[in-house]
Every structure is written in C-alpha cells, then in structure tokens.
Amino acid sequence: MVTFIIRRLIATIFLLIVVSMTTYAIFFLIPRLAGQTTYQLATQYVGRNPTRAAVLQIEQKLGIGDPIYVQYGRFLRGLIVGAHYNAGTSYTYCPPPCFGYSFKTDTPVWPQMVSDMPVTISLAIGAAILWLVGGVTVGVISALKRGTLFDRFSMGLALAGVSLPIFFTGLISLELFSYKWPIFPNVTYVGITTNPLLWARNLVLPWITLAFLYVALYARLTRAGMLETMSEDYIRTARAKGLPERTVIVRHGLRAALTPIITIFGMDLGALLGGAILTETTFSLHGLGQFTILAINNQDLPEIMGVTMLAAFFIIIANLVVDILYAVVDPRVRH
C-alpha cells in the first residue's frame, strides 16, 4: 500500500509540472505564436488606457521578451522563493508562493486567492457531504425497493435535480426561505473560527441548493450500480452462507458499487474547490468563483492564470485521493 501511494505521489508531481507548463504556454507562448508582439502582451498586464512608458516598464519587469523556457523557469522559481520584478529604479517583490503579480491591482495573486479560499472550501465541503450521504442513501434504498412508490418518486425528484440549473433553484430557495419565510435570512460568510454555529447556519441554504444538483446524479448512479451488483453470484453466495442482510448490502453490495461513485466524487469536489462560480454568484458569496469572474471582467491575466493553476491543482489532488481510496475499497487495485 505504501509503495502504491509513493508511486501515485510521484506521478502527481509530474502531472502538476505538465499542467503548469501547459497553462504557462497557453498564456505566454500561444499568443506569441499567433503573432502578438511583446509590447502587445505587456498591455494586457496593465490597467485600461495605459501609457507607453507603463507598458514598456511592465514588459521589462516581466521579461516577456526572454525565451519562453527562461520565463517558465522564473515562474517555477517564484513558486518556491518568490519573484523579483525589476525595471530600472522600479522594483516589485512577490513573496512565495508567487502565482503571479497583478500590476492592475498592484498586489500578488496568491494572497488574494487565499483570502477567498475559505468561502469556496466551506461551500464545497459542506455541500459535498450532503450530496454524497444523501445521494448514496437514496440510491441504495431505491435499488432495494425497485419499482415501489419510493423508487419512482425519488428517481423523478433526481431527474428534476439534474435538469434544473443552480441559478434557478438558488433564486427560488432565496425567495422562499430567505425573503418570504426568513428561515435563513442572512446568507453571508462568517469564518468558522469566528462563530462555528453562525458559519453553518448561514451556509445551510447554499449547501442544500448545491447538493440538490449533485445528489440527483449520485442517487441515479448508486441505484444503477446497486442493481447490477446485487444480482451477482457472490451476493447470492453471501446470502446462502447466512450472512446478515445488512452485511450483504453494505460490505458486499455497496462496497463494489462505490468505485464509480468515488471517481465522480473526486472530480466534482476538485472542480468545486477550483471555484463554484454559479453558486457563489447566486448567493453573493465572494470566493474563488467570484474571484475568477472579476479577474475575467478586468482582463487580469496573472489572476486568471493563478486561479486556473489552483483549480488544476485541486483536481489533480482529488484524483490522487481517489486513487488511494480505490486501493482501500478494492484491494485488487494495489496489484
């Protein structure tokens, strides 16, 4: 098991390097191959209507005219020891880990993402627990009660959850449970260390709304997996041996059906940690999703590149965790 984890960690580090190279090439190499000059590239890193002197200064600070491998090497070094941007008497320092420096806001990108990260992490983790527990539970019960009223009602509700977009269900939930019936009147983020109860209470409505979208998919996936698994020969053998029905369902049926659930859960959670854009916009929560929207609206390339790499990092780490969970759920994966 330890060898398997070490092997996956090495592969993850290599994948992170490949993703960083690809992301850097998209932002710095492809525009130059498309015919943009270094001066045109530099104009994208300063404010609107910049002066020629300001553009030339940014061009010199970023070293855009250097070969792409030199620029990428500086970027990797900045992640570890920080970056120094010099242009004559002008000097700017970006402390490690330096994911870039926004010259439009005159601030490093990493501290901005760190300040918004707790909102997105709180939203993603809380909703993920709800949709995983709720979806798997509903899916198992529907599979065991196939064809009953509960099965048809839950699958119909799941179909509605998959079909309705998050901004629709979010606005409806706000109208009903925040404005008309003030059960959750203040959907604002409060730090968990400041007031844990208020933190949870203010995020219940976004959690439920976001989980409703995913719980439907997990319920249908769990139901399909359980129906297939419960008809296998080893399930009949387990029952013939006289094992309790709960043991047959949980240890033999559900455990075998969890493999696709773990896969999609890791991908969904990793993507959400990269920024739940629609949910944060609907509930006016300033997390990484809102940070991304503002960066795109302001055409702030260092911020866009920073959040892109952070999102890729979350997804890769989520895949690593999924691979490790595979080995726990199915020992055959270790070999």
Side-chain angles (χ1 to χ4, degrees), residues 8-21 316:
R8 293 302 302 152
L9 283 173
I10 295 174
T12 299
I13 294 172
F14 175 76
L15 186 57
L16 283 171
I17 295 175
V18 172
V19 168
S20 67
M21 292 174 62
I316 291 173

Side-chain angles (χ1 to χ4, degrees), residues 136-253:
V136 171
T137 302
V138 171
V140 170
I141 297 176
S142 295
L144 297 178
K145 298 183 178 295
R146 182 181 183 182
T148 62
L149 182 62
F150 176 85
D151 180 30
R152 295 175 181 175
F153 175 77
S154 61
M155 288 302 102
L157 195 62
L159 181 60
V162 172
S163 305
L164 296 175
I166 189 68
F167 54 83
F168 175 79
T169 55
L171 291 176
I172 292 296
S173 61
L174 276 174
E175 175 64 26
L176 293 178
F177 303 110
S178 187
Y179 304 143
K180 186 175 183 179
W181 304 311
I183 302 175
F184 305 104
N186 297 317
V187 184
T188 55
Y189 179 76
V190 177
I192 187 173
T193 56
T194 303
N195 190 329
L197 293 178
L198 191 60
W199 166 82
R201 182 178 182 274
N202 288 358
L203 289 177
V204 165
L205 196 58
W207 283 345
I208 295 176
T209 304
L210 183 57
F212 181 65
L213 175 67
Y214 286 91
V215 74
L217 177 62
Y218 282 71
R220 294 171 67 88
L221 187 62
T222 304
R223 179 181 182 273
M226 285 295 293
L227 287 176
E228 181 180 357
T229 302
M230 296 304 289
S231 62
E232 295 289 341
D233 292 338
Y234 68 86
I235 297 294
R236 300 191 190 97
T237 303
R239 283 173 172 159
K241 289 181 177 180
L243 294 178
E245 187 66 14
R246 177 181 296 180
T247 303
V248 174
I249 293 172
V250 176
R251 291 192 59 185
H252 298 279

